Amino acid sequence: MLSMALTKAGAGLVEARESEVPVAGAGEVLVRVHACGVCRTDLHVVDGELPDVEVPRVPGHEIVGTVEQAGESVTGFQIGDRVGIPWLGYTDGTCEYCRSGRENLCRRARFTGYQIDGGYAEYAVADARYVFKLPDAYSDVEAAPLLCAGLIGYRAYRMAGDGRRVGIYGFGAAAHIIAQVARHDGREVYAFTSPGDVAAQQFARSLGAAWAGSSAERPPELLDAAIIFAPVGPLVPQALRQTAPGGVVVCAGIHMSDIPSFPYRDLWEERTVRSVANLTRRDAQEFLVLAPSVPVTTHVRSYELARANDALSDLRHGRLEGAAVLVPPQTPSR
Ligand SMILES: [Zn+2]
Ligand SMILES: [Zn+2]
């Protein structure tokens, strides 16, 4: 089978590889990949910004496909079922975090496209306990961004509390989904983009943002919450300064450049800065019901699997509206 894999740590790009189609173990499913979203975390993986990436490694953790094999102990899935495979690929189920509903923080968690080969490939194998059926309302390509931009975006959105004015820094794949959820909940969305990114500001307004401007600008009103999707540390003190007393700034990415120091008065009055890490299976169950009820529409640009580096490059340089999705050949090379 064809896969696009990171073959040298920190190479910044993936290479085409031919390998045997993997076989599903007892608790696993083998999935023929129909679509795989491209996430900023994939850039952090190929750029060597996450620790201990082993090579070769196939990135991709927004996988949509159909079950081709199910191991003998798999329950709940049959051959031909359409499923999604997200970032959370394994937890031990026994640590303090797992036992308290916080499996996203499991000390022995393993993640798809990071410690487990992911979906930049014609086939992927996953532990069936971390695989989800997908809402029928979405095509394969449309469903892919729900699996990380949607799920982790939704977790970040929940952590932002229930204030009315929600700022979103970095208007990419996660933001375009969460903006729709926020509007559905009757909130006002304030979209912050890189200075001069008029296209992204226009995109945000088209999705119902009350205001869109550059991250250096002041919104017309102070925010109750801000979610930072861009991996840019200086946005943290910037967002804090636009946040009302009692407000929260949520850092939603897995990696960020260093946060510069800032005066305590910007945090004073019970403002909070927090991060959001990974997802729980409960986040996935909830969001995959919520998304079609909003309904969330995903804006996608498809790329042939072999063009994975073009997709990564477009994401890196902000040349995307919405999400990039890789599509393997219709007839896989087994
Ligand atoms: Zn655990
Ligand atoms: Zn992701």
Side-chain angles (χ1 to χ4, degrees):
M1 69 157 186
L2 170 68
S3 65
M4 298 297 289
L6 176 69
T7 56
K8 186 166 159 278
L13 44 75
V14 288
E15 281 178 39
R17 293 178 83 231
E18 280 295 335
S19 58
E20 293 290 306
V21 175
V23 173
E28 294 175 332
V29 285
L30 171 69
V31 170
R32 159 113 187 261
V33 179
H34 294 299
C36 181
V38 176
C39 174
R40 183 163 293 279
T41 298
D42 304 343
L43 279 179
H44 298 318
V45 168
V46 300
D47 289 347
E49 287 168 334
L50 301 188
D52 307 323
V53 180
E54 286 177 16
V55 290
R57 175 63 70 228
V58 180
H61 54 270
E62 299 182 295
I63 306 170
V64 177
T66 47
V67 174
E68 278 215 355
Q69 279 174 18
E72 61 206 28
S73 60
V74 170
T75 55
F77 296 108
Q78 297 190 340
I79 309 299
D81 281 352
R82 185 171 83 142
V83 295
I85 306 173
W87 170 247
L88 185 72
Y90 171 82
T91 60
D92 60 11
T94 56
C95 75
E96 195 182 325
Y97 292 103
C98 284
R99 286 186 284 109
S100 58
R102 295 178 292 165
E103 64 181 358
N104 59 310
L105 302 177
C106 174
R107 298 295 82 194
R108 280 180 286 273
R110 299 175 71 218
F111 300 103
T112 312
Y114 180 24
Q115 286 106 1
I116 303 168
D117 278 336
Y120 287 22
E122 291 178 307
Y123 292 90
V125 163
D127 184 324
R129 295 173 298 174
Y130 302 86
V131 170
F132 299 89
K133 292 201 176 134
L134 296 172
D136 291 333
Y138 298 90
S139 71
D140 295 338
V141 169
E142 290 166 346
L146 299 177
L147 286 158
C148 182
L151 297 187
I152 294 182
Y154 172 66
R155 186 173 178 85
Y157 174 69
R158 279 197 5 248
M159 300 300 170
D162 49 16
R164 189 160 60 87
R165 289 177 291 267
V166 181
I168 300 181
Y169 285 76
F171 210 86
H176 98 285
I177 290 174
I178 289 316
Q180 296 174 60
V181 176
R183 292 286 300 127
H184 174 74
D185 289 346
R187 317 233 190 145
E188 290 169 14
V189 172
Y190 295 77
F192 297 82
T193 72
S194 322
D197 193 349
V198 178
Q201 292 165 15
Q202 184 56 41
F203 183 45
R205 282 189 210 99
S206 76
L207 293 172
W211 178 91
S214 118
S215 52
E217 284 178 65
R218 226 170 210 298
E221 293 193 70
L222 288 176
L223 308 169
D224 297 311
I227 305 173
I228 303 179
F229 290 116
V232 181
L235 290 176
V236 175
Q238 280 185 34
L240 266 176
R241 282 194 288 274
Q242 310 306 345
T243 304
V248 55
V249 173
V250 180
C251 304
I254 192 170
H255 172 84
M256 196 181 239
S257 56
D258 286 354
I259 301 170
S261 70
F262 54 88
Y264 176 63
R265 66 173 174 273
D266 293 344
L267 184 64
W268 166 240
E269 295 180 310
E270 302 197 343
R271 292 174 179 86
T272 307
V273 176
R274 68 167 299 161
S275 67
V276 158
N278 314 315
L279 70 143
T280 66
R281 283 173 283 184
R282 194 174 152 195
D283 294 326
Q285 283 149 5
E286 287 178 10
F287 181 71
L288 291 172
V289 170
L290 175 66
S293 77
V294 168
V296 168
T297 308
T298 57
H299 296 247
V300 294
R301 187 190 297 174
S302 313
Y303 298 75
E304 288 170 25
L305 173 60
R307 291 187 55 222
N309 285 312
D310 294 339
L312 286 168
S313 174
D314 287 347
L315 176 60
R316 188 190 298 282
H317 296 108
R319 291 191 293 252
L320 281 167
E321 198 162 87
V325 177
L326 302 179
V327 179
Q330 291 299 302
T331 311
S333 57
R334 281 201 85 124

Short mmCIF file of all heavy atoms in Angstrom, two decimals, residues 41-91:
data_model
loop_
_atom_site.label_atom_id
_atom_site.label_comp_id
_atom_site.label_asym_id
_atom_site.label_seq_id
_atom_site.Cartn_x
_atom_site.Cartn_y
_atom_site.Cartn_z
N THR A 41 -1.16 19.83 13.94
CA THR A 41 -0.33 18.90 14.72
C THR A 41 0.54 18.06 13.79
O THR A 41 1.67 17.70 14.15
CB THR A 41 -1.24 18.00 15.59
OG1 THR A 41 -1.95 18.83 16.50
CG2 THR A 41 -0.44 16.97 16.37
N ASP A 42 0.05 17.73 12.60
CA ASP A 42 0.87 16.98 11.64
C ASP A 42 2.13 17.77 11.29
O ASP A 42 3.21 17.20 11.13
CB ASP A 42 0.09 16.67 10.36
CG ASP A 42 -1.21 15.92 10.63
OD1 ASP A 42 -1.36 15.37 11.74
OD2 ASP A 42 -2.08 15.90 9.74
N LEU A 43 1.97 19.09 11.17
CA LEU A 43 3.15 19.93 10.91
C LEU A 43 4.12 19.85 12.09
O LEU A 43 5.33 19.76 11.90
CB LEU A 43 2.73 21.39 10.70
CG LEU A 43 2.21 21.81 9.33
CD1 LEU A 43 1.83 23.29 9.37
CD2 LEU A 43 3.25 21.57 8.25
N HIS A 44 3.58 19.89 13.31
CA HIS A 44 4.46 19.79 14.49
C HIS A 44 5.17 18.43 14.50
O HIS A 44 6.32 18.34 14.92
CB HIS A 44 3.66 19.99 15.78
CG HIS A 44 3.00 21.34 15.91
ND1 HIS A 44 3.63 22.52 15.57
CD2 HIS A 44 1.76 21.68 16.33
CE1 HIS A 44 2.79 23.53 15.79
NE2 HIS A 44 1.66 23.05 16.24
N VAL A 45 4.48 17.38 14.05
CA VAL A 45 5.11 16.04 14.00
C VAL A 45 6.24 16.04 12.96
O VAL A 45 7.38 15.65 13.26
CB VAL A 45 4.07 14.95 13.66
CG1 VAL A 45 4.75 13.63 13.32
CG2 VAL A 45 3.11 14.74 14.84
N VAL A 46 5.96 16.50 11.74
CA VAL A 46 6.99 16.40 10.69
C VAL A 46 8.13 17.40 10.92
O VAL A 46 9.25 17.17 10.49
CB VAL A 46 6.41 16.53 9.26
CG1 VAL A 46 5.38 15.45 8.98
CG2 VAL A 46 5.85 17.91 8.99
N ASP A 47 7.83 18.48 11.61
CA ASP A 47 8.87 19.48 11.88
C ASP A 47 9.70 19.13 13.11
O ASP A 47 10.64 19.87 13.45
CB ASP A 47 8.24 20.86 12.09
CG ASP A 47 7.70 21.46 10.79
OD1 ASP A 47 8.03 20.93 9.71
OD2 ASP A 47 6.95 22.46 10.86
N GLY A 48 9.37 18.06 13.81
CA GLY A 48 10.14 17.66 14.99
C GLY A 48 9.87 18.55 16.20
O GLY A 48 10.70 18.64 17.10
N GLU A 49 8.71 19.18 16.23
CA GLU A 49 8.40 20.06 17.37
C GLU A 49 7.74 19.30 18.53
O GLU A 49 7.59 19.84 19.62
CB GLU A 49 7.49 21.21 16.92
CG GLU A 49 8.26 22.22 16.09
CD GLU A 49 7.39 23.22 15.37
OE1 GLU A 49 6.21 22.92 15.09
OE2 GLU A 49 7.90 24.31 15.07
N LEU A 50 7.35 18.04 18.29
CA LEU A 50 6.85 17.20 19.37
C LEU A 50 7.96 16.22 19.73
O LEU A 50 8.68 15.75 18.85
CB LEU A 50 5.59 16.44 18.93
CG LEU A 50 4.41 17.30 18.49
CD1 LEU A 50 3.18 16.43 18.27
CD2 LEU A 50 4.10 18.38 19.51
N PRO A 51 8.07 15.88 21.01
CA PRO A 51 9.19 15.02 21.42
C PRO A 51 9.04 13.57 20.93
O PRO A 51 7.93 13.06 20.80
CB PRO A 51 9.14 15.09 22.95
CG PRO A 51 7.75 15.53 23.28
CD PRO A 51 7.27 16.35 22.14
N ASP A 52 10.19 12.94 20.67
CA ASP A 52 10.28 11.48 20.50
C ASP A 52 9.41 10.91 19.39
O ASP A 52 8.74 9.90 19.57
CB ASP A 52 9.93 10.77 21.83
CG ASP A 52 10.76 11.30 22.98
OD1 ASP A 52 11.94 11.60 22.73
OD2 ASP A 52 10.22 11.45 24.09
N VAL A 53 9.42 11.55 18.23
CA VAL A 53 8.71 10.95 17.10
C VAL A 53 9.62 9.87 16.51
O VAL A 53 10.75 10.14 16.14
CB VAL A 53 8.39 11.99 16.01
CG1 VAL A 53 7.66 11.34 14.84
CG2 VAL A 53 7.56 13.12 16.58
N GLU A 54 9.12 8.62 16.45
CA GLU A 54 9.91 7.56 15.84
C GLU A 54 9.63 7.52 14.35
O GLU A 54 8.51 7.74 13.92
CB GLU A 54 9.54 6.21 16.48
CG GLU A 54 10.12 6.09 17.88
CD GLU A 54 9.70 4.80 18.56
OE1 GLU A 54 9.23 3.87 17.87
OE2 GLU A 54 9.85 4.74 19.79
N VAL A 55 10.67 7.23 13.57
CA VAL A 55 10.47 7.14 12.13
C VAL A 55 10.75 5.71 11.66
O VAL A 55 11.54 5.00 12.30
CB VAL A 55 11.41 8.13 11.38
CG1 VAL A 55 10.96 9.55 11.63
CG2 VAL A 55 12.86 7.93 11.75
N PRO A 56 10.17 5.24 10.55
CA PRO A 56 9.16 5.98 9.79
C PRO A 56 7.84 6.07 10.55
O PRO A 56 7.50 5.15 11.30
CB PRO A 56 8.99 5.15 8.52
CG PRO A 56 9.36 3.76 8.93
CD PRO A 56 10.43 3.91 9.97
N ARG A 57 7.14 7.18 10.34
CA ARG A 57 5.84 7.36 10.99
C ARG A 57 4.88 7.97 9.97
O ARG A 57 5.22 8.95 9.30
CB ARG A 57 5.98 8.30 12.20
CG ARG A 57 4.66 8.66 12.88
CD ARG A 57 3.94 7.43 13.47
NE ARG A 57 4.62 6.90 14.63
CZ ARG A 57 4.89 5.59 14.81
NH1 ARG A 57 4.53 4.69 13.90
NH2 ARG A 57 5.51 5.17 15.88
N VAL A 58 3.70 7.38 9.87
CA VAL A 58 2.66 7.90 8.99
C VAL A 58 1.81 8.87 9.80
O VAL A 58 1.17 8.46 10.76
CB VAL A 58 1.77 6.76 8.43
CG1 VAL A 58 0.68 7.32 7.52
CG2 VAL A 58 2.62 5.73 7.70
N PRO A 59 1.80 10.18 9.46
CA PRO A 59 0.96 11.12 10.20
C PRO A 59 -0.52 10.95 9.83
O PRO A 59 -0.87 10.14 8.96
CB PRO A 59 1.46 12.49 9.74
CG PRO A 59 2.66 12.26 8.90
CD PRO A 59 2.58 10.84 8.42
N GLY A 60 -1.35 11.75 10.46
CA GLY A 60 -2.77 11.82 10.10
C GLY A 60 -3.68 11.23 11.14
O GLY A 60 -3.63 10.03 11.41
N HIS A 61 -4.54 12.07 11.74
CA HIS A 61 -5.42 11.60 12.82
C HIS A 61 -6.85 12.12 12.64
O HIS A 61 -7.55 12.36 13.61
CB HIS A 61 -4.84 12.02 14.17
CG HIS A 61 -4.56 13.48 14.28
ND1 HIS A 61 -3.35 14.04 13.94
CD2 HIS A 61 -5.34 14.52 14.65
CE1 HIS A 61 -3.40 15.35 14.11
NE2 HIS A 61 -4.60 15.67 14.54
N GLU A 62 -7.23 12.33 11.39
CA GLU A 62 -8.62 12.67 11.09
C GLU A 62 -9.03 11.72 9.96
O GLU A 62 -9.22 12.13 8.83
CB GLU A 62 -8.75 14.12 10.65
CG GLU A 62 -8.29 15.13 11.70
CD GLU A 62 -8.47 16.57 11.24
OE1 GLU A 62 -7.81 16.99 10.27
OE2 GLU A 62 -9.28 17.28 11.86
N ILE A 63 -9.14 10.44 10.31
CA ILE A 63 -9.24 9.38 9.30
C ILE A 63 -10.70 8.95 9.13
O ILE A 63 -11.37 8.62 10.11
CB ILE A 63 -8.40 8.15 9.74
CG1 ILE A 63 -6.95 8.58 10.03
CG2 ILE A 63 -8.46 7.06 8.66
CD1 ILE A 63 -6.12 7.48 10.69
N VAL A 64 -11.14 8.95 7.89
CA VAL A 64 -12.47 8.42 7.56
C VAL A 64 -12.28 7.26 6.60
O VAL A 64 -11.55 7.38 5.60
CB VAL A 64 -13.35 9.50 6.90
CG1 VAL A 64 -14.71 8.91 6.49
CG2 VAL A 64 -13.54 10.68 7.83
N GLY A 65 -12.91 6.14 6.89
CA GLY A 65 -12.77 4.99 6.00
C GLY A 65 -13.80 3.93 6.33
O GLY A 65 -14.72 4.15 7.12
N THR A 66 -13.62 2.78 5.70
CA THR A 66 -14.54 1.67 5.97
C THR A 66 -13.76 0.49 6.54
O THR A 66 -12.60 0.25 6.17
CB THR A 66 -15.28 1.22 4.70
OG1 THR A 66 -14.35 1.09 3.63
CG2 THR A 66 -16.34 2.23 4.30
N VAL A 67 -14.43 -0.24 7.40
CA VAL A 67 -13.80 -1.39 8.06
C VAL A 67 -13.65 -2.52 7.04
O VAL A 67 -14.62 -2.93 6.41
CB VAL A 67 -14.66 -1.85 9.26
CG1 VAL A 67 -14.09 -3.12 9.87
CG2 VAL A 67 -14.75 -0.75 10.31
N GLU A 68 -12.41 -3.00 6.90
CA GLU A 68 -12.16 -4.13 5.99
C GLU A 68 -11.90 -5.42 6.75
O GLU A 68 -12.14 -6.50 6.24
CB GLU A 68 -10.96 -3.84 5.08
CG GLU A 68 -11.34 -3.01 3.89
CD GLU A 68 -10.57 -3.36 2.62
OE1 GLU A 68 -9.65 -4.21 2.66
OE2 GLU A 68 -10.90 -2.76 1.59
N GLN A 69 -11.35 -5.30 7.96
CA GLN A 69 -11.13 -6.48 8.81
C GLN A 69 -11.43 -6.06 10.24
O GLN A 69 -11.12 -4.93 10.61
CB GLN A 69 -9.64 -6.87 8.85
CG GLN A 69 -9.10 -7.66 7.72
CD GLN A 69 -7.56 -7.79 7.91
OE1 GLN A 69 -7.01 -7.58 8.98
NE2 GLN A 69 -6.90 -8.13 6.83
N ALA A 70 -12.00 -6.95 11.01
CA ALA A 70 -12.20 -6.70 12.43
C ALA A 70 -11.63 -7.87 13.20
O ALA A 70 -11.95 -9.03 12.90
CB ALA A 70 -13.69 -6.51 12.74
N GLY A 71 -10.78 -7.59 14.18
CA GLY A 71 -10.17 -8.65 14.98
C GLY A 71 -11.23 -9.41 15.77
O GLY A 71 -12.36 -8.94 15.95
N GLU A 72 -10.82 -10.59 16.29
CA GLU A 72 -11.82 -11.50 16.88
C GLU A 72 -12.50 -10.93 18.12
O GLU A 72 -13.64 -11.27 18.40
CB GLU A 72 -11.15 -12.84 17.21
CG GLU A 72 -10.01 -12.68 18.21
CD GLU A 72 -8.95 -13.77 18.09
OE1 GLU A 72 -8.79 -14.31 16.98
OE2 GLU A 72 -8.31 -14.07 19.10
N SER A 73 -11.84 -10.01 18.84
CA SER A 73 -12.50 -9.49 20.05
C SER A 73 -13.19 -8.15 19.82
O SER A 73 -13.63 -7.50 20.76
CB SER A 73 -11.48 -9.40 21.19
OG SER A 73 -10.44 -8.52 20.83
N VAL A 74 -13.27 -7.72 18.56
CA VAL A 74 -13.92 -6.43 18.27
C VAL A 74 -15.43 -6.59 18.34
O VAL A 74 -15.99 -7.52 17.77
CB VAL A 74 -13.52 -5.93 16.86
CG1 VAL A 74 -14.37 -4.73 16.45
CG2 VAL A 74 -12.04 -5.58 16.83
N THR A 75 -16.06 -5.67 19.09
CA THR A 75 -17.53 -5.66 19.09
C THR A 75 -17.99 -4.30 18.61
O THR A 75 -17.30 -3.30 18.76
CB THR A 75 -18.09 -5.89 20.51
OG1 THR A 75 -17.52 -4.91 21.37
CG2 THR A 75 -17.79 -7.28 21.02
N GLY A 76 -19.15 -4.26 18.00
CA GLY A 76 -19.74 -2.97 17.62
C GLY A 76 -19.42 -2.52 16.21
O GLY A 76 -19.97 -1.52 15.75
N PHE A 77 -18.53 -3.19 15.51
CA PHE A 77 -18.22 -2.82 14.14
C PHE A 77 -18.27 -4.04 13.24
O PHE A 77 -17.86 -5.13 13.65
CB PHE A 77 -16.83 -2.18 14.02
CG PHE A 77 -16.71 -0.88 14.76
CD1 PHE A 77 -15.98 -0.80 15.93
CD2 PHE A 77 -17.35 0.26 14.28
CE1 PHE A 77 -15.88 0.40 16.61
CE2 PHE A 77 -17.26 1.46 14.96
CZ PHE A 77 -16.52 1.53 16.13
N GLN A 78 -18.75 -3.80 12.04
CA GLN A 78 -18.79 -4.89 11.06
C GLN A 78 -18.07 -4.46 9.80
O GLN A 78 -17.89 -3.25 9.57
CB GLN A 78 -20.25 -5.20 10.72
CG GLN A 78 -20.97 -5.69 11.96
CD GLN A 78 -22.34 -6.24 11.67
OE1 GLN A 78 -22.91 -5.95 10.63
NE2 GLN A 78 -22.84 -7.03 12.58
N ILE A 79 -17.70 -5.43 8.99
CA ILE A 79 -17.05 -5.15 7.72
C ILE A 79 -17.96 -4.20 6.92
O ILE A 79 -19.17 -4.41 6.85
CB ILE A 79 -16.85 -6.46 6.91
CG1 ILE A 79 -16.15 -7.53 7.76
CG2 ILE A 79 -16.07 -6.19 5.62
CD1 ILE A 79 -14.80 -7.18 8.26
N GLY A 80 -17.36 -3.17 6.37
CA GLY A 80 -18.13 -2.23 5.56
C GLY A 80 -18.64 -1.01 6.32
O GLY A 80 -19.07 -0.05 5.70
N ASP A 81 -18.59 -1.02 7.65
CA ASP A 81 -19.03 0.15 8.42
C ASP A 81 -18.13 1.35 8.13
O ASP A 81 -16.90 1.21 8.05
CB ASP A 81 -18.94 -0.12 9.93
CG ASP A 81 -20.09 -0.95 10.45
OD1 ASP A 81 -21.05 -1.18 9.68
OD2 ASP A 81 -20.02 -1.36 11.63
N ARG A 82 -18.75 2.51 8.00
CA ARG A 82 -17.95 3.72 7.86
C ARG A 82 -17.58 4.22 9.26
O ARG A 82 -18.44 4.35 10.12
CB ARG A 82 -18.71 4.81 7.12
CG ARG A 82 -17.83 6.03 6.88
CD ARG A 82 -18.49 7.02 5.97
NE ARG A 82 -19.40 7.89 6.68
CZ ARG A 82 -19.55 9.18 6.39
NH1 ARG A 82 -18.85 9.73 5.42
NH2 ARG A 82 -20.41 9.91 7.06
N VAL A 83 -16.30 4.50 9.44
CA VAL A 83 -15.82 4.89 10.78
C VAL A 83 -14.84 6.05 10.69
O VAL A 83 -14.28 6.35 9.62
CB VAL A 83 -15.11 3.70 11.49
CG1 VAL A 83 -16.10 2.58 11.78
CG2 VAL A 83 -13.93 3.20 10.69
N GLY A 84 -14.64 6.69 11.84
CA GLY A 84 -13.64 7.74 11.99
C GLY A 84 -12.63 7.35 13.04
O GLY A 84 -12.98 6.74 14.06
N ILE A 85 -11.37 7.68 12.78
CA ILE A 85 -10.29 7.40 13.73
C ILE A 85 -9.67 8.74 14.12
O ILE A 85 -9.13 9.44 13.26
CB ILE A 85 -9.21 6.49 13.10
CG1 ILE A 85 -9.84 5.21 12.54
CG2 ILE A 85 -8.11 6.18 14.11
CD1 ILE A 85 -8.85 4.34 11.76
N PRO A 86 -9.76 9.12 15.40
CA PRO A 86 -9.22 10.41 15.84
C PRO A 86 -7.82 10.30 16.46
O PRO A 86 -7.18 9.24 16.40
CB PRO A 86 -10.24 10.86 16.88
CG PRO A 86 -10.64 9.57 17.54
CD PRO A 86 -10.50 8.48 16.50
N TRP A 87 -7.40 11.36 17.06
CA TRP A 87 -6.06 11.50 17.66
C TRP A 87 -5.84 10.53 18.82
O TRP A 87 -4.80 9.88 18.91
CB TRP A 87 -5.93 12.96 18.10
CG TRP A 87 -4.77 13.37 18.93
CD1 TRP A 87 -4.82 13.79 20.23
CD2 TRP A 87 -3.38 13.48 18.53
NE1 TRP A 87 -3.56 14.14 20.67
CE2 TRP A 87 -2.67 13.96 19.65
CE3 TRP A 87 -2.70 13.21 17.36
CZ2 TRP A 87 -1.30 14.19 19.62
CZ3 TRP A 87 -1.31 13.42 17.33
CH2 TRP A 87 -0.64 13.90 18.44
N LEU A 88 -6.81 10.40 19.71
CA LEU A 88 -6.64 9.51 20.86
C LEU A 88 -6.72 8.07 20.38
O LEU A 88 -7.76 7.61 19.92
CB LEU A 88 -7.74 9.76 21.91
CG LEU A 88 -7.59 8.95 23.21
CD1 LEU A 88 -6.42 9.47 24.04
CD2 LEU A 88 -8.87 9.01 24.04
N GLY A 89 -5.60 7.34 20.48
CA GLY A 89 -5.54 6.00 19.92
C GLY A 89 -5.49 4.89 20.94
O GLY A 89 -5.77 3.73 20.65
N TYR A 90 -5.09 5.22 22.17
CA TYR A 90 -4.98 4.20 23.22
C TYR A 90 -4.85 4.89 24.57
O TYR A 90 -4.20 5.94 24.68
CB TYR A 90 -3.73 3.32 22.99
CG TYR A 90 -3.46 2.40 24.16
CD1 TYR A 90 -4.15 1.19 24.28
CD2 TYR A 90 -2.55 2.76 25.15
CE1 TYR A 90 -3.92 0.36 25.38
CE2 TYR A 90 -2.32 1.93 26.25
CZ TYR A 90 -3.02 0.74 26.36
OH TYR A 90 -2.80 -0.07 27.44
N THR A 91 -5.49 4.32 25.58
CA THR A 91 -5.22 4.72 26.97
C THR A 91 -5.14 3.44 27.79
O THR A 91 -5.63 2.40 27.37
CB THR A 91 -6.33 5.62 27.55
OG1 THR A 91 -7.57 4.90 27.52
CG2 THR A 91 -6.49 6.91 26.76
#
